[in-house]
Amino acid sequence: MEQEFLDVIKDQTPATIITINAHPASVVNTWSHYINVVDDHTLLIPSAGMHSIENDLTADNHLTVTIGSYKVEGSQGMGRGYHIHGTGKFATSGANFDRMKQQFDWIRAVLVVTIDDIQQKI
């Protein structure tokens, strides 16, 4: 992963998670700095709620996560944003859950995102 992407995740800005199975699409928000990068293909996102996203993933596990930061230089000056496309599943036990529970004691689950691609938008 490029450093600018990691810098955007570290900023304290909203991150939006979208699935398209519901009508209208399900959309939830969290904070980008809550997202843990495991490796180039895996993100962990703490979940207290996110029930609409969880329900949607049972029919089709594809999702999009959007993040952005005005503090990181983008393609047209200050401001950089990304769309992260991938698949997701919720974990309520196991190593990923335990890791995130230590950091966020309020979670009920962890959204494990397997990244297909990351597209810089600005």
Side-chain angles (χ1 to χ4, degrees), residues 12-121:
Q12 297 180 352
T13 60
T16 302
I17 304 159
I18 306 148
T19 57
I20 60 169
N21 299 315
H23 300 286
S26 294
V27 179
V28 298
N29 293 298
T30 190
W31 297 108
S32 61
H33 66 283
Y34 286 2
I35 299 172
N36 279 222
V37 177
V38 175
D39 56 40
D40 285 349
H41 304 287
T42 311
L43 302 175
L44 303 178
I45 302 174
S47 170
M50 298 188 189
H51 298 289
S52 61
I53 298 291
E54 187 172 21
N55 290 337
D56 279 356
L57 293 179
T58 62
D60 178 350
N61 65 349
H62 290 85
L63 51 72
T64 299
V65 180
T66 67
I67 59 171
S69 172
Y70 188 73
K71 296 177 184 174
V72 180
E73 179 113 14
S75 59
Q76 303 295 319
M78 291 308 289
R80 190 177 194 99
Y82 293 93
H83 288 181
I84 305 159
H85 301 102
T87 57
K89 65 180 179 181
F90 281 81
T92 56
S93 63
N96 287 331
F97 178 80
D98 293 342
R99 170 183 172 172
M100 295 296 281
K101 186 73 171 176
Q102 287 180 351
Q103 190 175 356
F104 306 101
D105 64 350
W106 44 264
I107 66 170
R108 66 164 189 91
V110 173
L111 175 56
V112 180
V113 176
T114 302
I115 300 168
D116 292 334
D117 67 63
I118 301 172
Q119 298 174 346
Q120 182 182 344
K121 293 302 189 179

